[in-house]
Amino acid sequence: MEKEIVIKPHFVFKDYFKANLFLALNNPFYYIMLPVSFFFLCFDIYKMTQGSKKFIELLYFPDVIFILLPILILISVFKLTKARLSNIKLKENIFIKFNNEYLEDAGESFNMKYFWKDIFKIVEKREWFLIYIDKKCAKVIRKADLKDNQYNELKELFNSLNIKKSLK
């Protein structure tokens, strides 16, 4: 594949919120914290039904974390997404260019190149591609931004790369 694929991204809050929420919830911290908190909550409910605890004693630290953690995650991801999408550079005329050597993010006042050899992995989801720049940070490519045959061309490019990938 010799030609370049050029995408004009549109920054839609709903899509980027869902992508950021997906990335946040894939953090191993949540895989450990939620089951542990759930265990403490179930244990407290069991003790309360046995009569050894009063209802007010039920709400102590692990239980509060279990109840508040999803709310805190949603609020923090919402604020993070809002802050990122309010960046003045996103109001510029931005293009994302793909070729065999690199992915280029170009605007009027910036130009970032990510070489494929430095990319951690590529994951395809139902609504977007996630191109992980490192283990925790991913570049979101919305499938809704792809025109004509660009989806097939991108998949062909991604399949030709020697990168860890999970494509559909």
Side-chain angles (χ1 to χ4, degrees), residues 86-138:
S86 66
N87 187 341
I88 192 95
K89 289 184 179 181
L90 295 182
K91 305 219 183 326
E92 295 178 10
N93 197 15
I94 298 173
F95 291 97
I96 302 172
K97 300 173 188 172
F98 297 89
N99 63 31
N100 286 337
E101 296 177 26
Y102 56 83
L103 150 71
E104 182 179 12
D105 208 358
E108 295 163 3
S109 65
F110 66 93
N111 189 355
M112 306 262 315
K113 284 186 181 178
Y114 303 101
F115 290 93
W116 294 121
K117 63 181 176 66
D118 300 327
I119 299 295
F120 182 68
K121 70 179 174 178
I122 300 171
V123 177
E124 180 181 3
K125 295 296 177 190
R126 188 168 46 92
E127 298 177 18
W128 55 74
F129 287 103
L130 297 171
I131 301 173
Y132 284 82
I133 307 302
D134 59 36
K135 280 187 172 185
K136 296 180 183 177
C137 179

Side-chain angles (χ1 to χ4, degrees), residues 39-70:
F39 169 76
F40 280 116
L41 182 66
C42 290
F43 182 74
D44 285 348
I45 290 172
Y46 171 76
K47 286 293 193 179
M48 190 177 72
T49 59
Q50 299 301 315
S52 61
K53 277 196 164 188
K54 296 178 183 160
F55 180 73
I56 197 69
E57 293 172 356
L58 177 68
L59 297 175
Y60 73 103
F61 186 69
D63 300 333
V64 171
I65 288 177
F66 179 73
I67 294 166
L68 292 180
L69 191 60

Side-chain angles (χ1 to χ4, degrees), residues 2 9 14 17 19 30 33 42 54 66 68 71 78 83 98 102 107 113 118 131 136 140 149 151 155 163:
E2 296 297 319
K14 177 182 153 190
F17 175 74
Y30 300 114
M33 193 60 172
C42 290
K54 296 178 183 160
F66 179 73
L68 292 180
I71 296 168
F78 180 84
F98 297 89
Y102 56 83
K113 284 186 181 178
D118 300 327
I131 301 173
K136 296 180 183 177
V140 178
N149 199 26
Y151 173 78
K155 286 209 40 166
I163 298 174

Side-chain angles (χ1 to χ4, degrees), residues 153-168:
E153 291 172 354
L154 265 182
K155 286 209 40 166
E156 182 182 324
L157 171 65
F158 293 158
N159 282 323
S160 71
L161 299 172
N162 189 18
I163 298 174
K164 183 178 175 183
K165 52 192 158 273
S166 172
L167 303 174
K168 294 182 180 183

Side-chain angles (χ1 to χ4, degrees), residues 25-40 65-66 69:
L25 292 178
N26 277 332
N27 188 335
F29 169 77
Y30 300 114
Y31 291 129
I32 296 167
M33 193 60 172
L34 286 174
V36 168
S37 299
F38 183 71
F39 169 76
F40 280 116
I65 288 177
F66 179 73
L69 191 60

Side-chain angles (χ1 to χ4, degrees), residues 4-35:
E4 199 169 57
I5 303 167
V6 180
I7 297 172
K8 170 85 172 102
H10 298 91
F11 300 99
V12 178
F13 180 81
K14 177 182 153 190
D15 292 338
Y16 280 86
F17 175 74
K18 288 195 296 187
N20 285 333
L21 190 60
F22 172 81
L23 291 170
L25 292 178
N26 277 332
N27 188 335
F29 169 77
Y30 300 114
Y31 291 129
I32 296 167
M33 193 60 172
L34 286 174

